[in-house]
Amino acid sequence: MRRIIVGAFLSLDGVMQAPGAPEEDRAGGFRYGGWTVPYWDDQIAAAMGDLFSRPFDLLLGRRTYDIFAAHWPYVESDPAAGSFDQISYDAARLFNQATKYVATHHSDTLCWQNSHSLGQNVPAALNALKAEDGPDLIVQGSGELVQQLLSYDLVDELRLLIYPVLLGDGKRLFAEGLTAMAFMLEKALSTPSGVVIAHYQRGGEIELGTFALEHAREPEHPW
């Protein structure tokens, strides 16, 4: 069985739009692109490195795919070049080699190497992929796809980096109408700048209880 792992950068109010650059996604007039950049440090780099430290395939929505396809194949690979960056090169090598599964209506425009369309029935395609032997499927960005995955209870793990900012507007990871489900906290730590890194495993169904007294008094109505 393969697992689907969702990795996401989140604000305190659940916004995940354009974490990496002002021009990344201006949909809806979003003004705060690049809101995660000032918080980058060695702990966040280590968390991202851990996510991609084992064999993986990428699972992407079309917008995120296009952003990645316009960037990672063009990262400088010559160590002698002035623009060469080892961390960027290592990430590019992993992403370029990985198999990319993409939710798209235009499969004929997937030009990045090792890219494959999920077809018209995305849930069925993903159930078939999960039933295979192979590496985990890692989702980056792709908010609409993540909401679809959650609606069909296909997410096995959430790896969230939660930033100490309120953005007010923007695309959110958890939209209304999602399937109710429980997760278990597997690991959590915080960075010096206040970013909380939390790993959640799928944890079954929602459990209910009550704090009400067994023989509670009737509420008083002053009116």
Side-chain angles (χ1 to χ4, degrees):
M1 286 286 290
R2 306 172 74 176
R3 300 163 64 247
I4 292 180
I5 301 172
V6 172
F9 303 96
L10 287 184
S11 68
L12 285 176
D13 51 342
V15 174
M16 63 179 297
Q17 186 170 350
E23 68 279 3
E24 187 175 348
D25 183 1
R26 295 187 182 274
F30 189 68
R31 298 175 294 157
Y32 301 110
W35 50 274
T36 69
V37 176
Y39 296 90
W40 184 266
D41 61 18
D42 290 343
Q43 277 188 279
I44 294 175
M48 297 305 295
D50 179 63
L51 177 60
F52 297 106
S53 62
R54 292 170 291 279
F56 67 91
D57 291 339
L58 284 172
L59 179 57
L60 302 171
R62 185 58 200 247
R63 180 184 290 274
T64 299
Y65 172 86
D66 286 341
I67 292 171
F68 281 17
H71 176 76
W72 294 114
Y74 306 102
V75 168
E76 181 59 65
S77 59
D78 182 1
S83 60
F84 179 80
D85 177 77
Q86 187 66 51
I87 294 176
S88 295
Y89 169 73
D90 290 341
R93 179 175 53 82
L94 288 174
F95 283 12
N96 290 330
Q97 292 176 352
T99 299
K100 276 76 69 174
Y101 295 101
V102 188
T104 179
H105 298 294
H106 305 285
S107 58
D108 58 326
T109 59
L110 298 178
C111 299
W112 192 8
Q113 66 188 68
N114 305 324
S115 296
H116 305 277
S117 170
L118 290 169
Q120 297 300 311
N121 191 333
V122 172
L126 290 175
N127 275 309
L129 283 173
K130 289 188 70 173
E132 297 175 353
D133 292 327
D136 288 337
L137 298 155
I138 295 180
V139 186
Q140 286 285 280
S142 310
E144 292 183 11
L145 174 60
V146 172
Q147 291 171 22
Q148 189 172 11
L149 296 175
L150 289 168
S151 295
Y152 286 95
D153 197 7
L154 291 170
V155 176
D156 299 290
E157 183 176 345
L158 295 167
R159 295 202 179 191
L160 307 180
L161 279 73
I162 305 166
Y163 287 72
V165 295
L166 296 173
L167 298 175
D169 296 316
K171 297 175 182 177
R172 285 174 163 77
L173 178 63
F174 303 113
E176 293 184 4
L178 297 180
T179 301
M181 62 186 71
F183 284 83
M184 299 181 297
L185 182 64
E186 180 186 70
K187 176 182 177 181
L189 58 90
S190 61
T191 72
S193 60
V195 178
V196 174
I197 301 171
H199 298 183
Y200 294 93
Q201 298 278 356
R202 182 72 173 88
E205 304 304 315
I206 299 290
E207 295 183 5
L208 304 179
T210 180
F211 287 112
L213 298 176
E214 184 176 354
H215 301 292
R217 293 176 57 188
E218 290 294 322
E220 296 182 4
H221 301 289
W223 59 86

